[in-house]
Amino acid sequence: NQLTGVLELGLTTILLSHIAFCTGFVAIVVRARMQGMDDSLVEAARDLGATPLQAFRLVTLPLIRPGIIAGALMAFTLSIDDFVITFFTAGAGASTLPLEIYSMIKIAVTPEVNAVSSLLMLLTLALIIIASRVSFSTLRMKG
């Protein structure tokens, strides 16, 4: 169960593969948010004496925070949903929620599978509500 003689298949390879898979989606969402940002705000902060790190932390980061949160939610949703990547990068001892659900439904759909599915839907709904509230509060501060 060795991958190129360096990494054993397991939770590490699952994590690395999901990071590689989701990075592009997050980058697109954050980049779209940054394109709508006014560069003169960062320049004004620099003119008022802020260091580059302070300008990023106090001006840029709050403006792109909704994009970061949206990207994180998208990455979470894609990662939970993507059984194929997990199946091919998991080792013999690694067990994740999608693998457990798959092994449960191979036999029959049990009440446990229905309960886990309901909990996942509620978690996703809660995260969407939180993200929309963060986005709404950011828009309210902006306008």
Side-chain angles (χ1 to χ4, degrees), residues 53-89:
L53 183 61
Q54 288 173 328
F56 175 76
R57 187 173 53 90
L58 298 172
V59 177
T60 306
L61 191 59
L63 291 174
I64 64 171
R65 185 176 293 132
I68 294 171
I69 292 171
L73 288 173
M74 183 180 290
F76 172 76
T77 304
L78 289 169
S79 187
I80 284 291
D81 186 47
D82 203 344
F83 165 77
V84 175
I85 290 176
T86 304
F87 185 75
F88 284 111
T89 58

PDB file of all heavy atoms in Angstrom, residues 53-89:
ATOM      1  N   LEU A  53       1.313  44.295   5.585  1.00  0.00           N
ATOM      2  CA  LEU A  53       0.589  43.286   6.355  1.00  0.00           C
ATOM      3  C   LEU A  53      -0.656  43.882   7.010  1.00  0.00           C
ATOM      4  O   LEU A  53      -1.727  43.263   6.999  1.00  0.00           O
ATOM      5  CB  LEU A  53       1.500  42.668   7.418  1.00  0.00           C
ATOM      6  CG  LEU A  53       0.882  41.560   8.250  1.00  0.00           C
ATOM      7  CD1 LEU A  53       0.472  40.391   7.362  1.00  0.00           C
ATOM      8  CD2 LEU A  53       1.846  41.103   9.326  1.00  0.00           C
ATOM      9  N   GLN A  54      -0.536  45.078   7.555  1.00  0.00           N
ATOM     10  CA  GLN A  54      -1.702  45.735   8.155  1.00  0.00           C
ATOM     11  C   GLN A  54      -2.752  46.057   7.106  1.00  0.00           C
ATOM     12  O   GLN A  54      -3.956  45.905   7.361  1.00  0.00           O
ATOM     13  CB  GLN A  54      -1.278  47.025   8.878  1.00  0.00           C
ATOM     14  CG  GLN A  54      -0.524  46.801  10.158  1.00  0.00           C
ATOM     15  CD  GLN A  54      -0.001  48.107  10.729  1.00  0.00           C
ATOM     16  OE1 GLN A  54       0.337  49.033   9.994  1.00  0.00           O
ATOM     17  NE2 GLN A  54       0.080  48.170  12.060  1.00  0.00           N
ATOM     18  N   ALA A  55      -2.329  46.514   5.934  1.00  0.00           N
ATOM     19  CA  ALA A  55      -3.282  46.812   4.862  1.00  0.00           C
ATOM     20  C   ALA A  55      -4.022  45.550   4.437  1.00  0.00           C
ATOM     21  O   ALA A  55      -5.231  45.578   4.208  1.00  0.00           O
ATOM     22  CB  ALA A  55      -2.559  47.436   3.670  1.00  0.00           C
ATOM     23  N   PHE A  56      -3.293  44.433   4.375  1.00  0.00           N
ATOM     24  CA  PHE A  56      -3.958  43.182   4.010  1.00  0.00           C
ATOM     25  C   PHE A  56      -4.924  42.750   5.104  1.00  0.00           C
ATOM     26  O   PHE A  56      -6.071  42.411   4.826  1.00  0.00           O
ATOM     27  CB  PHE A  56      -2.920  42.076   3.766  1.00  0.00           C
ATOM     28  CG  PHE A  56      -3.551  40.744   3.494  1.00  0.00           C
ATOM     29  CD1 PHE A  56      -4.115  40.468   2.259  1.00  0.00           C
ATOM     30  CD2 PHE A  56      -3.604  39.777   4.480  1.00  0.00           C
ATOM     31  CE1 PHE A  56      -4.716  39.253   2.010  1.00  0.00           C
ATOM     32  CE2 PHE A  56      -4.200  38.557   4.244  1.00  0.00           C
ATOM     33  CZ  PHE A  56      -4.760  38.289   3.000  1.00  0.00           C
ATOM     34  N   ARG A  57      -4.466  42.778   6.352  1.00  0.00           N
ATOM     35  CA  ARG A  57      -5.276  42.276   7.464  1.00  0.00           C
ATOM     36  C   ARG A  57      -6.493  43.146   7.737  1.00  0.00           C
ATOM     37  O   ARG A  57      -7.568  42.644   8.036  1.00  0.00           O
ATOM     38  CB  ARG A  57      -4.405  42.190   8.725  1.00  0.00           C
ATOM     39  CG  ARG A  57      -5.075  41.542   9.902  1.00  0.00           C
ATOM     40  CD  ARG A  57      -4.118  41.340  11.064  1.00  0.00           C
ATOM     41  NE  ARG A  57      -3.423  42.545  11.472  1.00  0.00           N
ATOM     42  CZ  ARG A  57      -3.882  43.388  12.388  1.00  0.00           C
ATOM     43  NH1 ARG A  57      -5.038  43.164  12.962  1.00  0.00           N
ATOM     44  NH2 ARG A  57      -3.191  44.455  12.721  1.00  0.00           N
ATOM     45  N   LEU A  58      -6.341  44.468   7.612  1.00  0.00           N
ATOM     46  CA  LEU A  58      -7.421  45.373   7.993  1.00  0.00           C
ATOM     47  C   LEU A  58      -8.297  45.836   6.832  1.00  0.00           C
ATOM     48  O   LEU A  58      -9.413  46.305   7.057  1.00  0.00           O
ATOM     49  CB  LEU A  58      -6.837  46.595   8.710  1.00  0.00           C
ATOM     50  CG  LEU A  58      -6.085  46.281  10.012  1.00  0.00           C
ATOM     51  CD1 LEU A  58      -5.394  47.525  10.540  1.00  0.00           C
ATOM     52  CD2 LEU A  58      -7.028  45.700  11.047  1.00  0.00           C
ATOM     53  N   VAL A  59      -7.804  45.726   5.600  1.00  0.00           N
ATOM     54  CA  VAL A  59      -8.587  46.201   4.452  1.00  0.00           C
ATOM     55  C   VAL A  59      -8.951  45.046   3.508  1.00  0.00           C
ATOM     56  O   VAL A  59     -10.128  44.794   3.247  1.00  0.00           O
ATOM     57  CB  VAL A  59      -7.817  47.303   3.680  1.00  0.00           C
ATOM     58  CG1 VAL A  59      -8.603  47.741   2.452  1.00  0.00           C
ATOM     59  CG2 VAL A  59      -7.529  48.486   4.583  1.00  0.00           C
ATOM     60  N   THR A  60      -7.931  44.350   3.005  1.00  0.00           N
ATOM     61  CA  THR A  60      -8.177  43.323   1.992  1.00  0.00           C
ATOM     62  C   THR A  60      -8.934  42.123   2.560  1.00  0.00           C
ATOM     63  O   THR A  60      -9.917  41.671   1.969  1.00  0.00           O
ATOM     64  CB  THR A  60      -6.849  42.860   1.369  1.00  0.00           C
ATOM     65  OG1 THR A  60      -6.152  44.003   0.879  1.00  0.00           O
ATOM     66  CG2 THR A  60      -7.083  41.891   0.233  1.00  0.00           C
ATOM     67  N   LEU A  61      -8.475  41.600   3.682  1.00  0.00           N
ATOM     68  CA  LEU A  61      -9.088  40.397   4.244  1.00  0.00           C
ATOM     69  C   LEU A  61     -10.571  40.560   4.574  1.00  0.00           C
ATOM     70  O   LEU A  61     -11.370  39.687   4.216  1.00  0.00           O
ATOM     71  CB  LEU A  61      -8.295  39.925   5.469  1.00  0.00           C
ATOM     72  CG  LEU A  61      -8.646  38.550   6.002  1.00  0.00           C
ATOM     73  CD1 LEU A  61      -8.436  37.488   4.939  1.00  0.00           C
ATOM     74  CD2 LEU A  61      -7.799  38.232   7.225  1.00  0.00           C
ATOM     75  N   PRO A  62     -10.983  41.662   5.210  1.00  0.00           N
ATOM     76  CA  PRO A  62     -12.432  41.805   5.437  1.00  0.00           C
ATOM     77  C   PRO A  62     -13.252  41.893   4.147  1.00  0.00           C
ATOM     78  O   PRO A  62     -14.396  41.445   4.112  1.00  0.00           O
ATOM     79  CB  PRO A  62     -12.547  43.106   6.235  1.00  0.00           C
ATOM     80  CG  PRO A  62     -11.235  43.250   6.915  1.00  0.00           C
ATOM     81  CD  PRO A  62     -10.234  42.683   5.950  1.00  0.00           C
ATOM     82  N   LEU A  63     -12.659  42.434   3.092  1.00  0.00           N
ATOM     83  CA  LEU A  63     -13.390  42.553   1.828  1.00  0.00           C
ATOM     84  C   LEU A  63     -13.523  41.216   1.099  1.00  0.00           C
ATOM     85  O   LEU A  63     -14.519  40.984   0.414  1.00  0.00           O
ATOM     86  CB  LEU A  63     -12.727  43.579   0.919  1.00  0.00           C
ATOM     87  CG  LEU A  63     -12.836  45.035   1.380  1.00  0.00           C
ATOM     88  CD1 LEU A  63     -12.006  45.939   0.482  1.00  0.00           C
ATOM     89  CD2 LEU A  63     -14.284  45.476   1.390  1.00  0.00           C
ATOM     90  N   ILE A  64     -12.518  40.355   1.246  1.00  0.00           N
ATOM     91  CA  ILE A  64     -12.587  39.069   0.548  1.00  0.00           C
ATOM     92  C   ILE A  64     -13.095  37.944   1.455  1.00  0.00           C
ATOM     93  O   ILE A  64     -13.231  36.813   0.997  1.00  0.00           O
ATOM     94  CB  ILE A  64     -11.222  38.684  -0.076  1.00  0.00           C
ATOM     95  CG1 ILE A  64     -10.159  38.461   0.995  1.00  0.00           C
ATOM     96  CG2 ILE A  64     -10.789  39.694  -1.109  1.00  0.00           C
ATOM     97  CD1 ILE A  64      -8.863  37.877   0.454  1.00  0.00           C
ATOM     98  N   ARG A  65     -13.400  38.241   2.708  1.00  0.00           N
ATOM     99  CA  ARG A  65     -13.883  37.208   3.649  1.00  0.00           C
ATOM    100  C   ARG A  65     -15.115  36.452   3.130  1.00  0.00           C
ATOM    101  O   ARG A  65     -15.161  35.225   3.234  1.00  0.00           O
ATOM    102  CB  ARG A  65     -14.166  37.812   5.013  1.00  0.00           C
ATOM    103  CG  ARG A  65     -14.551  36.751   6.047  1.00  0.00           C
ATOM    104  CD  ARG A  65     -14.734  37.316   7.425  1.00  0.00           C
ATOM    105  NE  ARG A  65     -13.444  37.771   7.922  1.00  0.00           N
ATOM    106  CZ  ARG A  65     -13.255  38.959   8.491  1.00  0.00           C
ATOM    107  NH1 ARG A  65     -14.242  39.792   8.646  1.00  0.00           N
ATOM    108  NH2 ARG A  65     -12.058  39.300   8.922  1.00  0.00           N
ATOM    109  N   PRO A  66     -16.128  37.115   2.545  1.00  0.00           N
ATOM    110  CA  PRO A  66     -17.257  36.337   2.005  1.00  0.00           C
ATOM    111  C   PRO A  66     -16.833  35.354   0.912  1.00  0.00           C
ATOM    112  O   PRO A  66     -17.357  34.243   0.839  1.00  0.00           O
ATOM    113  CB  PRO A  66     -18.198  37.403   1.447  1.00  0.00           C
ATOM    114  CG  PRO A  66     -17.869  38.631   2.204  1.00  0.00           C
ATOM    115  CD  PRO A  66     -16.401  38.559   2.481  1.00  0.00           C
ATOM    116  N   GLY A  67     -15.869  35.734   0.099  1.00  0.00           N
ATOM    117  CA  GLY A  67     -15.364  34.819  -0.920  1.00  0.00           C
ATOM    118  C   GLY A  67     -14.630  33.638  -0.320  1.00  0.00           C
ATOM    119  O   GLY A  67     -14.749  32.506  -0.797  1.00  0.00           O
ATOM    120  N   ILE A  68     -13.876  33.895   0.735  1.00  0.00           N
ATOM    121  CA  ILE A  68     -13.165  32.811   1.426  1.00  0.00           C
ATOM    122  C   ILE A  68     -14.162  31.848   2.063  1.00  0.00           C
ATOM    123  O   ILE A  68     -14.019  30.625   1.973  1.00  0.00           O
ATOM    124  CB  ILE A  68     -12.190  33.382   2.471  1.00  0.00           C
ATOM    125  CG1 ILE A  68     -11.066  34.152   1.775  1.00  0.00           C
ATOM    126  CG2 ILE A  68     -11.624  32.281   3.353  1.00  0.00           C
ATOM    127  CD1 ILE A  68     -10.175  34.935   2.719  1.00  0.00           C
ATOM    128  N   ILE A  69     -15.185  32.394   2.704  1.00  0.00           N
ATOM    129  CA  ILE A  69     -16.198  31.544   3.342  1.00  0.00           C
ATOM    130  C   ILE A  69     -16.962  30.744   2.288  1.00  0.00           C
ATOM    131  O   ILE A  69     -17.195  29.542   2.455  1.00  0.00           O
ATOM    132  CB  ILE A  69     -17.148  32.393   4.206  1.00  0.00           C
ATOM    133  CG1 ILE A  69     -16.387  32.950   5.404  1.00  0.00           C
ATOM    134  CG2 ILE A  69     -18.345  31.591   4.666  1.00  0.00           C
ATOM    135  CD1 ILE A  69     -17.152  33.969   6.214  1.00  0.00           C
ATOM    136  N   ALA A  70     -17.320  31.399   1.182  1.00  0.00           N
ATOM    137  CA  ALA A  70     -18.026  30.684   0.109  1.00  0.00           C
ATOM    138  C   ALA A  70     -17.151  29.583  -0.480  1.00  0.00           C
ATOM    139  O   ALA A  70     -17.627  28.474  -0.748  1.00  0.00           O
ATOM    140  CB  ALA A  70     -18.459  31.664  -0.980  1.00  0.00           C
ATOM    141  N   GLY A  71     -15.877  29.874  -0.653  1.00  0.00           N
ATOM    142  CA  GLY A  71     -14.955  28.854  -1.160  1.00  0.00           C
ATOM    143  C   GLY A  71     -14.793  27.696  -0.199  1.00  0.00           C
ATOM    144  O   GLY A  71     -14.736  26.535  -0.613  1.00  0.00           O
ATOM    145  N   ALA A  72     -14.735  27.992   1.105  1.00  0.00           N
ATOM    146  CA  ALA A  72     -14.620  26.934   2.102  1.00  0.00           C
ATOM    147  C   ALA A  72     -15.863  26.056   2.121  1.00  0.00           C
ATOM    148  O   ALA A  72     -15.766  24.824   2.213  1.00  0.00           O
ATOM    149  CB  ALA A  72     -14.370  27.541   3.483  1.00  0.00           C
ATOM    150  N   LEU A  73     -17.030  26.680   2.009  1.00  0.00           N
ATOM    151  CA  LEU A  73     -18.272  25.897   1.969  1.00  0.00           C
ATOM    152  C   LEU A  73     -18.337  25.040   0.710  1.00  0.00           C
ATOM    153  O   LEU A  73     -18.774  23.883   0.760  1.00  0.00           O
ATOM    154  CB  LEU A  73     -19.482  26.820   2.043  1.00  0.00           C
ATOM    155  CG  LEU A  73     -19.730  27.474   3.395  1.00  0.00           C
ATOM    156  CD1 LEU A  73     -20.849  28.500   3.288  1.00  0.00           C
ATOM    157  CD2 LEU A  73     -20.065  26.434   4.432  1.00  0.00           C
ATOM    158  N   MET A  74     -17.890  25.591  -0.408  1.00  0.00           N
ATOM    159  CA  MET A  74     -17.887  24.823  -1.646  1.00  0.00           C
ATOM    160  C   MET A  74     -16.913  23.650  -1.539  1.00  0.00           C
ATOM    161  O   MET A  74     -17.231  22.521  -1.942  1.00  0.00           O
ATOM    162  CB  MET A  74     -17.510  25.710  -2.835  1.00  0.00           C
ATOM    163  CG  MET A  74     -17.570  24.983  -4.162  1.00  0.00           C
ATOM    164  SD  MET A  74     -17.138  26.030  -5.542  1.00  0.00           S
ATOM    165  CE  MET A  74     -18.549  27.106  -5.569  1.00  0.00           C
ATOM    166  N   ALA A  75     -15.728  23.905  -0.963  1.00  0.00           N
ATOM    167  CA  ALA A  75     -14.748  22.837  -0.804  1.00  0.00           C
ATOM    168  C   ALA A  75     -15.278  21.750   0.124  1.00  0.00           C
ATOM    169  O   ALA A  75     -15.103  20.553  -0.142  1.00  0.00           O
ATOM    170  CB  ALA A  75     -13.442  23.407  -0.255  1.00  0.00           C
ATOM    171  N   PHE A  76     -15.950  22.152   1.205  1.00  0.00           N
ATOM    172  CA  PHE A  76     -16.521  21.178   2.131  1.00  0.00           C
ATOM    173  C   PHE A  76     -17.574  20.327   1.430  1.00  0.00           C
ATOM    174  O   PHE A  76     -17.575  19.099   1.537  1.00  0.00           O
ATOM    175  CB  PHE A  76     -17.134  21.898   3.337  1.00  0.00           C
ATOM    176  CG  PHE A  76     -17.907  20.999   4.258  1.00  0.00           C
ATOM    177  CD1 PHE A  76     -17.248  20.156   5.127  1.00  0.00           C
ATOM    178  CD2 PHE A  76     -19.293  20.998   4.240  1.00  0.00           C
ATOM    179  CE1 PHE A  76     -17.949  19.309   5.962  1.00  0.00           C
ATOM    180  CE2 PHE A  76     -20.007  20.161   5.078  1.00  0.00           C
ATOM    181  CZ  PHE A  76     -19.335  19.311   5.944  1.00  0.00           C
ATOM    182  N   THR A  77     -18.452  20.967   0.687  1.00  0.00           N
ATOM    183  CA  THR A  77     -19.512  20.243  -0.001  1.00  0.00           C
ATOM    184  C   THR A  77     -18.948  19.291  -1.049  1.00  0.00           C
ATOM    185  O   THR A  77     -19.360  18.130  -1.137  1.00  0.00           O
ATOM    186  CB  THR A  77     -20.485  21.233  -0.670  1.00  0.00           C
ATOM    187  OG1 THR A  77     -20.973  22.130   0.317  1.00  0.00           O
ATOM    188  CG2 THR A  77     -21.645  20.525  -1.322  1.00  0.00           C
ATOM    189  N   LEU A  78     -17.984  19.759  -1.825  1.00  0.00           N
ATOM    190  CA  LEU A  78     -17.376  18.897  -2.835  1.00  0.00           C
ATOM    191  C   LEU A  78     -16.617  17.740  -2.194  1.00  0.00           C
ATOM    192  O   LEU A  78     -16.648  16.614  -2.691  1.00  0.00           O
ATOM    193  CB  LEU A  78     -16.432  19.711  -3.720  1.00  0.00           C
ATOM    194  CG  LEU A  78     -17.084  20.696  -4.673  1.00  0.00           C
ATOM    195  CD1 LEU A  78     -16.041  21.605  -5.291  1.00  0.00           C
ATOM    196  CD2 LEU A  78     -17.863  19.966  -5.748  1.00  0.00           C
ATOM    197  N   SER A  79     -15.954  18.021  -1.101  1.00  0.00           N
ATOM    198  CA  SER A  79     -15.154  17.002  -0.436  1.00  0.00           C
ATOM    199  C   SER A  79     -16.037  15.920   0.188  1.00  0.00           C
ATOM    200  O   SER A  79     -15.721  14.728   0.105  1.00  0.00           O
ATOM    201  CB  SER A  79     -14.280  17.649   0.631  1.00  0.00           C
ATOM    202  OG  SER A  79     -13.396  16.718   1.175  1.00  0.00           O
ATOM    203  N   ILE A  80     -17.114  16.320   0.826  1.00  0.00           N
ATOM    204  CA  ILE A  80     -18.030  15.343   1.414  1.00  0.00           C
ATOM    205  C   ILE A  80     -18.679  14.493   0.319  1.00  0.00           C
ATOM    206  O   ILE A  80     -18.874  13.291   0.479  1.00  0.00           O
ATOM    207  CB  ILE A  80     -19.125  16.055   2.248  1.00  0.00           C
ATOM    208  CG1 ILE A  80     -18.559  16.515   3.571  1.00  0.00           C
ATOM    209  CG2 ILE A  80     -20.323  15.165   2.502  1.00  0.00           C
ATOM    210  CD1 ILE A  80     -18.207  15.410   4.528  1.00  0.00           C
ATOM    211  N   ASP A  81     -18.987  15.125  -0.801  1.00  0.00           N
ATOM    212  CA  ASP A  81     -19.711  14.453  -1.868  1.00  0.00           C
ATOM    213  C   ASP A  81     -18.817  13.555  -2.719  1.00  0.00           C
ATOM    214  O   ASP A  81     -19.307  12.618  -3.337  1.00  0.00           O
ATOM    215  CB  ASP A  81     -20.393  15.498  -2.758  1.00  0.00           C
ATOM    216  CG  ASP A  81     -21.288  14.866  -3.796  1.00  0.00           C
ATOM    217  OD1 ASP A  81     -22.074  13.979  -3.410  1.00  0.00           O
ATOM    218  OD2 ASP A  81     -21.194  15.250  -4.965  1.00  0.00           O
ATOM    219  N   ASP A  82     -17.523  13.826  -2.762  1.00  0.00           N
ATOM    220  CA  ASP A  82     -16.657  13.122  -3.701  1.00  0.00           C
ATOM    221  C   ASP A  82     -16.171  11.791  -3.137  1.00  0.00           C
ATOM    222  O   ASP A  82     -15.132  11.704  -2.496  1.00  0.00           O
ATOM    223  CB  ASP A  82     -15.480  14.000  -4.107  1.00  0.00           C
ATOM    224  CG  ASP A  82     -14.917  13.577  -5.430  1.00  0.00           C
ATOM    225  OD1 ASP A  82     -15.234  12.460  -5.872  1.00  0.00           O
ATOM    226  OD2 ASP A  82     -14.175  14.354  -6.025  1.00  0.00           O
ATOM    227  N   PHE A  83     -16.941  10.779  -3.410  1.00  0.00           N
ATOM    228  CA  PHE A  83     -16.625   9.430  -2.955  1.00  0.00           C
ATOM    229  C   PHE A  83     -15.465   8.836  -3.748  1.00  0.00           C
ATOM    230  O   PHE A  83     -14.629   8.115  -3.208  1.00  0.00           O
ATOM    231  CB  PHE A  83     -17.872   8.545  -3.078  1.00  0.00           C
ATOM    232  CG  PHE A  83     -17.573   7.085  -2.972  1.00  0.00           C
ATOM    233  CD1 PHE A  83     -17.325   6.523  -1.737  1.00  0.00           C
ATOM    234  CD2 PHE A  83     -17.529   6.287  -4.098  1.00  0.00           C
ATOM    235  CE1 PHE A  83     -17.036   5.178  -1.626  1.00  0.00           C
ATOM    236  CE2 PHE A  83     -17.249   4.948  -3.996  1.00  0.00           C
ATOM    237  CZ  PHE A  83     -17.000   4.384  -2.766  1.00  0.00           C
ATOM    238  N   VAL A  84     -15.399   9.130  -5.037  1.00  0.00           N
ATOM    239  CA  VAL A  84     -14.421   8.491  -5.919  1.00  0.00           C
ATOM    240  C   VAL A  84     -12.988   8.803  -5.488  1.00  0.00           C
ATOM    241  O   VAL A  84     -12.147   7.902  -5.396  1.00  0.00           O
ATOM    242  CB  VAL A  84     -14.668   8.905  -7.389  1.00  0.00           C
ATOM    243  CG1 VAL A  84     -13.596   8.350  -8.300  1.00  0.00           C
ATOM    244  CG2 VAL A  84     -16.038   8.459  -7.840  1.00  0.00           C
ATOM    245  N   ILE A  85     -12.698  10.074  -5.223  1.00  0.00           N
ATOM    246  CA  ILE A  85     -11.348  10.444  -4.802  1.00  0.00           C
ATOM    247  C   ILE A  85     -11.003   9.742  -3.494  1.00  0.00           C
ATOM    248  O   ILE A  85      -9.908   9.200  -3.330  1.00  0.00           O
ATOM    249  CB  ILE A  85     -11.218  11.972  -4.652  1.00  0.00           C
ATOM    250  CG1 ILE A  85     -11.257  12.634  -6.021  1.00  0.00           C
ATOM    251  CG2 ILE A  85      -9.928  12.352  -3.946  1.00  0.00           C
ATOM    252  CD1 ILE A  85     -11.232  14.136  -5.975  1.00  0.00           C
ATOM    253  N   THR A  86     -11.932   9.743  -2.564  1.00  0.00           N
ATOM    254  CA  THR A  86     -11.685   9.104  -1.272  1.00  0.00           C
ATOM    255  C   THR A  86     -11.474   7.603  -1.444  1.00  0.00           C
ATOM    256  O   THR A  86     -10.571   7.032  -0.830  1.00  0.00           O
ATOM    257  CB  THR A  86     -12.876   9.352  -0.329  1.00  0.00           C
ATOM    258  OG1 THR A  86     -13.095  10.751  -0.227  1.00  0.00           O
ATOM    259  CG2 THR A  86     -12.609   8.794   1.045  1.00  0.00           C
ATOM    260  N   PHE A  87     -12.261   6.975  -2.288  1.00  0.00           N
ATOM    261  CA  PHE A  87     -12.173   5.533  -2.479  1.00  0.00           C
ATOM    262  C   PHE A  87     -10.816   5.130  -3.041  1.00  0.00           C
ATOM    263  O   PHE A  87     -10.223   4.136  -2.613  1.00  0.00           O
ATOM    264  CB  PHE A  87     -13.298   5.073  -3.411  1.00  0.00           C
ATOM    265  CG  PHE A  87     -13.372   3.588  -3.572  1.00  0.00           C
ATOM    266  CD1 PHE A  87     -13.881   2.796  -2.564  1.00  0.00           C
ATOM    267  CD2 PHE A  87     -12.933   2.987  -4.738  1.00  0.00           C
ATOM    268  CE1 PHE A  87     -13.952   1.417  -2.701  1.00  0.00           C
ATOM    269  CE2 PHE A  87     -13.000   1.620  -4.891  1.00  0.00           C
ATOM    270  CZ  PHE A  87     -13.509   0.822  -3.874  1.00  0.00           C
ATOM    271  N   PHE A  88     -10.301   5.897  -4.003  1.00  0.00           N
ATOM    272  CA  PHE A  88      -9.043   5.517  -4.649  1.00  0.00           C
ATOM    273  C   PHE A  88      -7.799   5.967  -3.890  1.00  0.00           C
ATOM    274  O   PHE A  88      -6.706   5.502  -4.200  1.00  0.00           O
ATOM    275  CB  PHE A  88      -9.001   6.040  -6.089  1.00  0.00           C
ATOM    276  CG  PHE A  88      -9.861   5.238  -7.010  1.00  0.00           C
ATOM    277  CD1 PHE A  88     -11.007   5.782  -7.552  1.00  0.00           C
ATOM    278  CD2 PHE A  88      -9.538   3.933  -7.324  1.00  0.00           C
ATOM    279  CE1 PHE A  88     -11.811   5.037  -8.396  1.00  0.00           C
ATOM    280  CE2 PHE A  88     -10.337   3.174  -8.166  1.00  0.00           C
ATOM    281  CZ  PHE A  88     -11.484   3.730  -8.707  1.00  0.00           C
ATOM    282  N   THR A  89      -7.928   6.873  -2.935  1.00  0.00           N
ATOM    283  CA  THR A  89      -6.750   7.314  -2.190  1.00  0.00           C
ATOM    284  C   THR A  89      -6.729   6.810  -0.753  1.00  0.00           C
ATOM    285  O   THR A  89      -5.785   7.066  -0.033  1.00  0.00           O
ATOM    286  CB  THR A  89      -6.656   8.853  -2.181  1.00  0.00           C
ATOM    287  OG1 THR A  89      -7.839   9.393  -1.601  1.00  0.00           O
ATOM    288  CG2 THR A  89      -6.442   9.397  -3.564  1.00  0.00           C
TER     289      THR A  89
END
